[in-house]
Amino acid sequence: MRHGAGAGGAAPSPSCAHAHAGALPALLAGLARRATTPATARRLQAQLLLRGLPLPARAAVALVASSPSPRHARAVFDSAVPAAPGNVYLWTATIAAYARHASSSSSPSAAAEALALFRLMLRSGDPRPNAFTASSVVRCCSALRAVLEGIQVHGFLGKAGLGRSAHVGAALIDMYGNHGLIEDARRVFDEVPLRNVVVGNTMVACYVRAGEVAAAREVFDGMAERDPISWNTLMSGYLRQGDAHVARQFFEDMPEKNVNSWNMMISACSEEGLWVDSVVVFNRMRLARFQPDAATMAVLMSACAQLGCLSVAGQVHGYLKKSCVEMNCHVLNSLIDMYAKCGSVSQAHLLFVETHLKDTVSYNVMITALAHHGHGREALQLFNEMDEEGLHPDSVTFLGVLSACAHAGLVHDGKHYFESMRTNYAVEQSLDHYACMVDIYGRAGLIEEAYFLVQTMPMKPHAGVWGALLNACRKHGQLEVGKVAARELITIEPTNPGTYILLANTLARGQQWDFVETVRQSMRGKGIEKTVGCSWVEVDSVVHEFLMGDFSHPNSDEIYSTLEHLYLQSV
């Protein structure tokens, strides 16, 4: 059958077919030259797949470098390497993709695949690894904690003349540091001829991880160039060893700060109990035009919760609404906790109700808040709602539930939830849970039941258990059991003044004044002083701190004069 020209089926003339065949490779060659980005490389790959042609090495490298997973990177490598078996960039990009995944997701299999590919590269003989190949392989040895393989790779790099590169040196220092081989890390550091800031930072970080802050400072002082990472790393070292004062001075001396610098300083103030200072540092951070992130707000909300200042809490919440910080479940949980600890359980509950994506932590925070504010039955009701939602309670959930039972005097409910932990929810009963049960019995005046529980516990009671029993004995005047509890507490915490004060108060309640004096003499003889009382008062959105016997407040004279006047009026 003959086909007409208008039917669209006419065969092209030989000259036309030759022109098309010649133009196609030229077109793809031009596209291949431009395929240096993931998007253009993907377009080229699609065109080549349609024609059954191999992917050029340059485009393959771009695709491998942007691969979402090692499996995808390896598939691209396998399709491209037959056409370019000696392209070092293709091998390096694929090994780096494995190393990147091993570091970000702690995947031993990805690190092992990288080492296997590196061995294959060495067996093939061509191409030879470069410094970037080597550093990726070293990072995989570090991720696998493969000390022997790491030492072998280091030996190969030395023979290949790659060990003195700053890029490889930093990877080797980090590997030895992660393995705890600090002297080997230092040896590598000393052998790198041209140390850049990355090499210096890595060595400082190794010393900080090992707790050798003085050695870290020596390296830091000798660095020709420093960046915010250098300063932050050493500052974290001072904070780890408890030198908060030095860390704060170090922070003030920093020529250039970043968000992590400010976060560390806010956290340092909070850990020291200087919650007002945490808020002050946060305000300085904003004035310096730094954008707080989720970590900043988490630490700040924790500080506000400890401070108990409702007006500051409201300001933090207001800032969160206006900022770019994502209002995710973690941030909302911190907000709920902050409001509850600042005394506004109603605002905390409102936020809880408005939170659509609740997790176990959300319920834990709200149950604990209701329990501590005396809403025991509401806390138990919330626990039942959590159960109905299909969320599995954890050990923290039951601490809140048992605390609710203790504050509401619900002994029977407390026993039920305590026993159901293991049987219904597969949650192990910890020492803290036993302490809660002792508190439940103790608050209800059931001292014998509380003492029996302590005696029959499957593990040795800790200070919290004995403390709950001693406090119950003080409240209900049970001297003999109280003496037993105090003796055990003093054995566990011989320098805790609270134990001696509780015992003295228990004895005073039984009017055993001679024994009270004996306890006080024992404290004096051991050099144990009563913890200084401290309180905070919020006036016009400003929190004022007062310590017993402290006259450092700027309005101290006026305050004590007013107190004396009030006292004289009352007598």
Side-chain angles (χ1 to χ4, degrees):
M1 175 185 283
R2 296 182 65 186
H3 297 279
S13 66
S15 60
C16 289
H18 178 76
H20 182 70
L24 184 61
L27 173 69
L28 293 179
L31 188 57
R33 283 193 296 271
R34 297 193 301 274
T36 56
T37 65
T40 54
R42 280 193 292 271
R43 285 199 296 272
L44 175 64
Q45 185 183 32
Q47 293 288 334
L48 293 174
L49 283 173
L50 288 172
R51 293 164 175 81
L53 297 173
L55 186 67
R58 176 187 289 188
V61 170
L63 283 173
V64 168
S66 63
S67 291
S69 69
R71 182 181 297 179
H72 180 262
R74 185 57 184 264
V76 174
F77 172 83
D78 290 340
S79 69
V81 76
N87 189 298
V88 67
Y89 302 108
L90 181 58
W91 287 84
T92 299
T94 309
I95 292 171
Y98 279 121
R100 190 167 57 250
H101 186 73
S103 301
S104 63
S105 60
S106 302
S107 172
S109 60
E113 287 286 344
L115 289 177
L117 188 59
F118 179 66
R119 294 189 190 100
L120 181 62
M121 183 182 188
L122 294 180
R123 284 199 300 271
S124 69
D126 182 41
R128 300 291 294 169
N130 62 21
F132 294 99
T133 322
S135 63
S136 294
V137 172
V138 171
R139 286 193 347 248
C140 289
C141 292
S142 181
L144 281 173
R145 301 196 68 78
V147 182
L148 182 59
E149 288 86 344
I151 293 172
Q152 290 173 346
V153 170
H154 187 185
F156 165 78
L157 296 177
K159 293 176 183 176
L162 297 172
R164 293 165 66 83
S165 157
H167 200 66
V168 176
L172 285 168
I173 293 167
D174 184 61
M175 180 191 74
Y176 283 122
N178 283 339
H179 294 153
L181 304 171
I182 306 301
E183 291 182 4
D184 293 295
R186 182 57 191 254
R187 192 174 301 114
V188 173
F189 175 78
D190 291 336
E191 289 172 356
V192 176
L194 298 173
R195 303 183 200 119
N196 58 19
V197 67
V198 176
V199 174
N201 288 349
T202 308
M203 193 67 242
V204 170
C206 283
Y207 277 129
V208 166
R209 281 199 301 269
E212 300 181 26
V213 181
R217 182 60 187 261
E218 177 256 324
V219 173
F220 176 87
D221 288 340
M223 290 172 64
E225 179 189 357
R226 305 184 191 114
D227 61 11
I229 295 174
S230 320
W231 291 81
N232 290 345
T233 305
L234 189 54
M235 185 165 69
S236 72
Y238 285 123
L239 291 172
R240 283 185 185 184
Q241 69 177 18
D243 288 339
H245 177 73
V246 177
R248 294 184 75 171
Q249 186 57 52
F250 198 70
F251 173 79
E252 298 300 340
D253 292 340
M254 288 178 67
E256 181 185 353
K257 301 175 178 68
N258 60 16
V259 172
N260 287 337
S261 314
W262 290 98
N263 288 354
M264 287 170 63
M265 202 64 253
I266 294 169
S267 181
C269 293
S270 184
E271 288 172 9
E272 279 190 277
L274 303 172
W275 301 303
V276 174
D277 288 0
S278 294
V279 178
V280 170
V281 174
F282 173 73
N283 288 331
R284 284 180 57 195
M285 177 184 185
R286 290 177 59 197
L287 288 172
R289 300 189 180 280
F290 280 91
Q291 183 68 38
D293 58 13
T296 317
M297 301 313 298
V299 176
L300 183 67
M301 285 187 282
S302 175
C304 288
Q306 298 298 326
L307 190 60
C309 180
L310 187 57
S311 61
V312 175
Q315 291 170 21
V316 171
H317 189 186
Y319 177 80
L320 268 172
K321 289 178 178 178
K322 294 183 290 185
S323 71
C324 299
V325 176
E326 181 189 357
M327 295 291 280
N328 56 29
C329 198
H330 177 69
V331 172
L332 287 166
N333 291 342
S334 298
L335 265 177
I336 293 166
D337 182 58
M338 177 183 68
Y339 272 118
K341 288 179 177 174
C342 288
S344 182
V345 70
S346 59
Q347 181 64 33
H349 189 258
L350 180 63
L351 276 170
F352 175 81
V353 171
E354 291 176 349
T355 302
H356 299 294
L357 295 175
K358 300 182 182 73
D359 59 5
T360 300
V361 177
S362 310
Y363 279 92
N364 289 353
V365 169
M366 198 64 238
I367 288 170
T368 303
L370 290 168
H372 288 175
H373 284 81
H375 303 289
R377 295 196 180 277
E378 289 87 342
L380 299 185
Q381 182 181 345
L382 196 59
F383 173 79
N384 294 332
E385 289 178 17
M386 176 185 182
D387 210 12
E388 291 169 4
E389 289 290 330
L391 288 171
H392 191 75
D394 57 18
S395 60
V396 178
T397 315
F398 282 103
L399 286 176
V401 167
L402 294 176
S403 177
C405 293
H407 283 83
L410 304 173
V411 178
H412 177 74
D413 292 282
K415 288 174 64 178
H416 164 72
Y417 286 114
F418 181 75
E419 291 166 1
S420 70
M421 285 177 62
R422 196 161 38 190
T423 56
N424 296 352
Y425 300 98
V427 176
E428 286 296 317
Q429 296 153 336
S430 70
L431 284 164
D432 290 335
H433 295 111
Y434 275 95
C436 284
M437 275 309 301
V438 171
D439 189 40
I440 288 172
Y441 284 130
R443 286 172 183 261
L446 303 173
I447 305 300
E448 290 184 9
E449 287 84 345
Y451 188 34
F452 178 75
L453 180 64
V454 174
Q455 291 176 308
T456 55
M457 284 172 58
M459 67 277 280
K460 187 176 180 180
H462 67 2
V465 174
W466 289 114
L469 183 60
L470 178 55
N471 195 45
C473 292
R474 177 198 61 79
K475 182 179 178 182
H476 297 284
Q478 292 283 347
L479 298 183
E480 295 309 312
V481 177
K483 289 178 183 177
V484 173
R487 186 166 58 248
E488 295 291 342
L489 260 178
I490 290 170
T491 302
I492 298 170
E493 298 179 340
T495 59
N496 185 351
T499 302
Y500 295 89
I501 300 302
L502 262 179
L503 176 58
N505 291 342
T506 304
L507 295 168
R509 190 176 179 87
Q511 298 186 345
Q512 297 194 10
W513 304 112
D514 290 342
F515 287 110
V516 171
E517 184 56 32
T518 301
V519 171
R520 290 174 177 167
Q521 286 178 357
S522 176
M523 287 182 69
R524 287 192 290 269
K526 296 175 182 178
I528 300 171
E529 295 183 357
K530 183 178 177 180
T531 305
V532 177
C534 179
S535 61
W536 293 270
V537 178
E538 182 183 350
V539 180
D540 296 332
S541 300
V542 178
V543 177
H544 302 267
E545 183 182 54
F546 296 94
L547 296 170
M548 190 179 74
D550 178 36
F551 297 91
S552 61
H553 192 278
N555 302 109
S556 182
D557 292 341
E558 183 181 349
I559 291 168
Y560 281 100
S561 175
T562 303
L563 284 173
E564 185 178 358
H565 178 69
L566 291 172
Y567 174 74
L568 292 173
Q569 283 187 332
S570 65
V571 295

